Amino acid sequence: FDGGMETRALERLKLETRLRRALEKSEFEVHYQPQIDISSRGLIGAEALIRWTDPELGPVSPGIFIPVAEASGLIVGIGQWVLREVCRQILVWQAAGHVVPRIAVNLSFLQFRRPDFLDTVKAILHEAGVKGDQLEFELTESVVMHDAEQAISILAQLRELGIELAIDDFGTGYSSLNRLKRMP
């Protein structure tokens, strides 16, 4: 036993409790990082990035709260909140007369592997009235390479919805380009 271990465990538990409250009270924000075509200097998309400012702790780095959200399973609810918020924002921009580029949303392993994942995505798109071709899902290499056959099936169904797919952090795992070519 180490006193530092107890302190870290308590801090993690406090952060998890705060994250639960933040999800219940929608204390998160989505910031949009533009994606620019260097040659034309035109906007070709944006990536949705979640940010959290806790009322007592102040701004909390995603590098700190995302691992806690993943370990606790809260990432599923947070991911659904982000997707709903992105869809809401797309409609706000469209109503204001803006041409909205494709918005990239990061998915976690836990979200992607849930049996109701596709139904949840379809329901959120339907509720919002947003078309799949307005979104891009970013998945890490490990998400799509773990149980590749199931991943291919899910990815193909996402493509049928018009959602673009991107692999984030490619090269950090052990996939071959040959396996990657099989992905939709």
Side-chain angles (χ1 to χ4, degrees):
F1 175 79
D2 174 339
M5 290 172 59
E6 181 180 21
T7 301
R8 286 188 299 276
L10 286 172
E11 286 175 1
R12 186 191 171 286
L13 183 60
K14 286 179 189 176
L15 188 61
E16 183 180 329
T17 301
R18 289 182 176 285
L19 270 173
R20 283 186 197 288
R21 191 199 71 230
L23 183 57
E24 290 168 6
K25 295 186 175 193
S26 296
E27 292 178 353
F28 301 106
E29 293 180 342
V30 176
H31 292 206
Y32 296 88
Q33 178 175 298
Q35 297 171 332
I36 307 292
D37 179 317
I38 293 175
S39 60
S40 70
R41 297 184 183 195
L43 180 68
I44 58 170
E47 181 174 2
L49 303 171
I50 188 168
R51 297 294 180 254
W52 175 39
T53 302
D54 181 81
E56 293 177 31
L57 299 175
V60 182
S61 167
I64 292 173
F65 76 82
I66 295 293
V68 173
E70 287 177 340
S72 66
L74 287 170
I75 196 70
V76 173
I78 292 171
Q80 291 172 5
W81 181 89
V82 169
L83 184 55
R84 282 187 173 91
E85 181 61 21
V86 166
C87 289
R88 185 198 65 76
Q89 186 62 58
I90 287 171
L91 295 178
V92 167
W93 285 329
Q94 288 175 335
H98 299 292
V99 175
V100 181
R102 186 179 314 273
I103 307 295
V105 177
N106 290 294
L107 295 180
S108 79
F109 181 84
L110 290 178
Q111 281 178 278
F112 187 75
R113 292 299 173 180
R114 285 184 57 92
D116 64 346
F117 170 68
L118 284 167
D119 291 335
T120 301
V121 169
K122 289 175 187 176
I124 291 171
L125 292 176
H126 179 73
E127 289 166 15
V130 169
K131 295 178 182 167
D133 65 0
Q134 295 176 286
L135 296 171
E136 174 180 295
F137 285 165
E138 290 188 6
L139 303 108
T140 62
E141 179 181 2
S142 60
V143 170
V144 295
M145 294 305 167
H146 176 80
D147 192 359
E149 294 308 315
Q150 182 187 12
I152 289 170
S153 172
I154 295 169
L155 294 173
Q157 292 175 68
L158 290 172
R159 292 284 298 169
E160 287 174 16
L161 294 172
I163 298 171
E164 286 288 322
L165 305 165
I167 297 193
D168 205 6
D169 299 332
F170 182 75
T172 59
Y174 297 99
S175 330
S176 67
L177 288 173
N178 219 16
R179 284 184 75 190
L180 183 63
K181 285 174 29 179
R182 294 179 48 219
M183 299 292 162

